[in-house]
Amino acid sequence: MEPINTKIAHLLTNGYELQFENVFNKAYENYKKIALYAGLAILIFGFIFMVLAAFGLISFVGVEHLNENTIKQLESKMLKQEYLGYQFIFVLAINSVFSPISAGFLRMANAAQKDVEFKMRHFFSFYQWSYFKELFVATFIITCISTGIDTALTHFKIPVVGGIISFGIGILTVLSTPLIIFGKQKAIKAIQASIQLTSTKFLTLFLLLFVAFLGSLVGLIGFCIGVLFTIPFSMSMQYAIYDSI
């Protein structure tokens, strides 16, 4: 098999074709295979996270002070601009620490593509130090820049611009995690290679990821829990983009 570094160098030198229809169809076929299992996994992880968050809230506030009024006060505080920094730190920490689980969903998509069995324990397979440190660093850098810009522009009351820039950063770095877990690249090199490869097909990738985003929101129509089973379409799209390139 051709080494990944050679493949990347070849793609950067000679370019590549990326057709919207082909990638979309590949993502959709993959999604049909993982939708149910991935949706249930999101439900389970979401429940665990809510339980941990509840324990954290109780520890912070104290069970004797935990009531509806206290929760409303905390919510109102978090909406104030002076607390944007805390939100930034929280998002940065959560994204970085749980990045191996996000990578696990890409491994699920890869397994579905190859018709290989995927088990729940595989979601935690990237907590091995060799993978975890690279995923943590890459996610930390990307989230720090993306969320940092978004938070700063929200502070200046132009959150829409921040959201657009964050989405653009997400497009440019969409290959970072796949390059780490499938190509065994280091964090910095994975980010650099992702930016170099995606910048030449930015418009096509924008359309693909925007459609994936809209597709993920379809579950909000009718019964909100359905979104758990449409979110995996974004994961399938990310894998399909990597696989196609």
Side-chain angles (χ1 to χ4, degrees):
M1 182 180 290
E2 187 180 9
I4 187 69
N5 289 326
T6 304
K7 286 184 179 181
I8 293 172
H10 177 79
L11 291 171
L12 291 176
T13 302
N14 302 289
Y16 61 92
E17 293 294 326
L18 191 68
Q19 297 183 352
F20 179 93
E21 184 178 0
N22 292 341
V23 180
F24 179 85
N25 290 336
K26 181 180 289 189
Y28 182 66
E29 291 302 316
N30 187 276
Y31 164 73
K32 290 191 292 185
K33 294 179 181 180
I34 73 169
L36 181 60
Y37 197 93
L40 291 173
I42 292 172
L43 184 63
I44 292 170
F45 288 132
F47 176 76
I48 293 172
F49 179 77
M50 287 176 64
V51 171
L52 293 174
F55 275 113
L57 182 62
I58 291 172
S59 301
F60 179 73
V61 177
V63 67
E64 68 277 6
H65 300 297
L66 189 63
N67 52 56
E68 186 177 350
N69 186 50
T70 302
I71 294 174
K72 286 182 178 179
Q73 288 179 353
L74 285 173
E75 289 177 345
S76 64
K77 284 183 178 181
M78 294 308 295
L79 292 173
K80 294 180 179 179
Q81 289 191 348
E82 56 263 35
Y83 286 89
L84 289 176
Y86 293 106
Q87 294 179 37
F88 167 68
I89 294 171
F90 177 78
V91 172
L92 184 62
I94 292 297
N95 283 358
S96 300
V97 172
F98 290 100
S99 56
I101 292 180
S102 298
F105 283 99
L106 290 178
R107 178 174 176 177
M108 174 191 285
N110 175 260
Q113 180 79 8
K114 298 178 179 178
D115 292 320
V116 176
E117 184 181 13
F118 182 90
K119 296 183 178 180
M120 184 63 72
R121 69 172 183 271
H122 293 153
F123 279 114
F124 303 96
S125 59
F126 295 116
Y127 275 102
Q128 299 175 46
W129 179 246
S130 58
Y131 288 110
F132 176 68
K133 61 184 174 64
E134 304 304 334
L135 289 169
F136 183 93
V137 170
T139 305
F140 185 91
I141 292 172
I142 295 168
T143 304
C144 191
I145 295 172
S146 177
T147 308
I149 292 173
D150 191 22
T151 301
L153 292 176
T154 298
H155 176 75
F156 290 107
K157 298 182 180 180
I158 44 177
V160 175
V161 177
I164 293 172
I165 293 175
S166 293
F167 190 67
I169 293 172
I171 294 170
L172 292 173
T173 57
V174 70
L175 299 179
S176 300
T177 297
L179 283 171
I180 291 172
I181 63 176
F182 300 129
K184 296 184 179 179
Q185 297 291 292
K186 298 296 184 181
I188 302 298
K189 287 187 176 180
I191 293 173
Q192 290 175 337
S194 179
I195 293 173
Q196 291 173 324
L197 288 168
T198 56
S199 58
T200 60
K201 302 292 181 181
F202 187 85
L203 181 57
T204 303
L205 290 170
F206 170 82
L207 293 173
L208 286 167
L209 291 172
F210 185 68
V211 168
F213 171 73
L214 294 179
S216 297
L217 295 181
V218 170
L220 290 174
I221 301 174
F223 193 40
C224 290
I225 198 172
V227 74
L228 298 175
F229 300 96
T230 52
I231 286 177
F233 184 60
S234 292
M235 304 164 187
S236 289
M237 182 62 77
Q238 185 179 3
Y239 176 76
I241 289 170
Y242 171 79
D243 189 57
S244 297
I245 293 176

